[in-house]
Amino acid sequence: MRLESFLQSFARLTQDSVIVIYSPAPDVEGSIVWCNDAFSKAFGHDDVDTLGNSISTLFEPVRYRAMLDEIRPDMIEGETGANAEVSCLRADGTTFWGNLQILYAPRDETGGRSSAGIIRDISNLKQREAKAAEALDEREAMAREAEALWSRLLLAIDSLDAPIGIWDKNQRLVICNKSFGPRLMGRPMPSEPDLTFQDFLREAAYAGTIMSTIGREEEWIAEAIAAMETGYIDNLETFSDGRAFLAKSELSANGDMVIHNIEMTDAIARERELSQKNQELAEAEQDARRRANRDDLTGLGNRRYMGACLDMLIEQYGDETGEIALLQIDLDRFKQINDTLGHAAGDHVLVVVSQRLTALLGVSDHLARIGGDEFVIIGSGQNIEDRARRLGAEIIEALSRPILFNDTSLRIGASVGIATTPISSGRDLLVHADVALYRSKSEGRGHVRVFDHTDLDKLRRSKAVGDEILIALEARQFVPWFQPQIDAATGQIVGLEALARWNHPERGILPPAIFIQQADDLNVLGELDRLIFETAIEACSKAFEGIPALDLSINVSEERLMSSDIDTFLKQAAAYPGKIAMELLETIFLEDRGETFRFQIDRLRDAGIGIELDDFGSGRASIVGLEQIAPDRLKIDRRLVGSAATSERSARLLRAIVDIGDALDIKVTAEGIETADQVKVLTALGCERLQGFWFGPPMPLDDVIRRFDLRPSLQRHTGS
């Protein structure tokens, strides 16, 4: 085989992208004159699209210029090649990291030069590098925390006047305080670590400061070593300055022995010190028992504490008196805070919640944290159900207030389930409160629900619906229906909102009220959003082939927005021939959710996807939030639109919302329009788009096309 053929075969068979560039002059950017199949596959270009293009079209502009700055010295100095990492740009607009090797051929007689470029995809390597850096940062943070803890321990024991030393199971000194050396050895302790217990005893015995060692140093050393080996030291020693110290030892769980010396100058002092020590030991034991019943993070009682309190109240009141109530509290949106801002933010929220709940307790109430974001309050006394209902309402109000963390305002919420005796037996209170809590959350969260026995039947039915939802997702039974959006100025249809419907095999088409809350409770809301999004894109792309595509807006949950497969999401949106907009609920959109949330919003906007704020006016919005995120469109809550034609106050409020949109360059859509008067008023107020049953309810896409005669003109003329 000729060398040229071999080299050409090698370039075509290698999995790396290979290109040949020719530059007619030193200051002229080279163009691509040849590429291998691996290049076409990696970059998504075929030969026709590639050949003749400038090499700069293959890379992100900013990173390409940075790469040129990096390799230019090699080019100037006449090097035969260069190597750099650069962000490569595929034909579909996506990017990947590549290692670029350039081999320069000598310039020809005209000053032109050919170069060969080999590009290897190193995206996985860059990801591993990022993960390694993150792990190293975490390790360093843990080391700093451990070092700080150690420093505090040293400061604490150094502040004590009595000598204290800690010896490990190998009888080597771990740590001691400043009093240890001067009191027991007659001099400061040496700086070198790992002093053995035997060496310490020998130096202390021969220092002449301990009266009982004089003349019997070796015997004293042997006795002390024997006591050390048994793990028990209890020895009173008198020193040459007249003071007496009682050496006491304590073994820790890891085998370390703590030896601290209590000064016992006379009998009275001895009794006092011994009494104090006994009290300290008793308090330590009591503290250990208390910690066994306490949550480490919040200091509240734990599940064991809750069980003990419940047992005590059942024994005191019994099951039939109606004087025991149990409130189970579950935080709303806590998981999103933990997942997006980290465990530090989550822990801070839990501590603040525990403080707010504690402030609401009555004298006979007991509070415990029994799970990640689950709390329980047990109360007792007369009229307990009324008291429990009032307390539940106070809890909802207290936990709806913002929580400040690192200058970020976090918003959670709570749902409360209540069970009382004698409707529930004492042993069933927790289970029945949990059932009531589930009902509370199914009603929209932020509610208080008191258990009755019909709840069990409803829970069973709800579970059956949940099982059906999971099956329906696999069978792709959820389908998009579309509601038209009308241009207020022309009266023409300009857009569609895709809304989820369940095409149930037995019950027919079911509205979101039947399944949305259940899907959220099952943590499959993001999967449902994905299915509706993909199906709507596919259906509309096909339906509008050959005619201008209508704008398409699709609801997206926070779970979907923050999902890791956002790149797939953006690629699918790019396939739609018209404009795409994501509708986000006001409750998740305008809370300050930090950089991660804003980064995802920016990625949508950079991909050409519009951002719309749904249900605007429901009570969570802030002007600062609107200015920071800058949505493209506000959709006024239908509850405000309903009275627009009959209430001057409502009209003024809507006018103010439109003015806010104008001031911030945000377009406004009015939802829930049902009458001609509402159309007239909202058009006059300046709403750009209108949506509601007056123009058409949500319907299948084919019905929209027929109702608004959206078929291509050729099809209309042929009667098809």
Side-chain angles (χ1 to χ4, degrees), residues 488-489 636 640-662 666-670 673 677-690:
I636 301 176
L640 299 177
V641 170
S643 57
T646 58
S647 169
E648 180 63 29
R649 182 176 181 180
S650 295
R652 289 197 303 271
L653 178 58
L654 292 169
R655 173 74 263 177
I657 293 175
V658 173
D659 289 343
I660 290 173
D662 290 341
I666 301 173
K667 295 180 174 60
V668 177
T669 296
I673 295 177
D677 289 341
Q678 291 173 351
V679 173
K680 181 178 180 181
V681 170
L682 289 161
T683 301
L685 289 174
C687 292
E688 186 215 14
R689 289 190 182 181
L690 309 174

Side-chain angles (χ1 to χ4, degrees), residues 68 84 199 269 279 311 339 348 357 379 388 429 453 483 496 507 613 651 693 715:
L68 289 180
D199 290 343
Q279 181 179 354
D311 289 343
D339 291 346
H348 177 74
L357 292 177
L429 282 172
H453 286 283
Q483 187 169 30
L496 299 171
R507 301 167 62 188
L613 178 57
F693 275 56
Q715 291 181 349

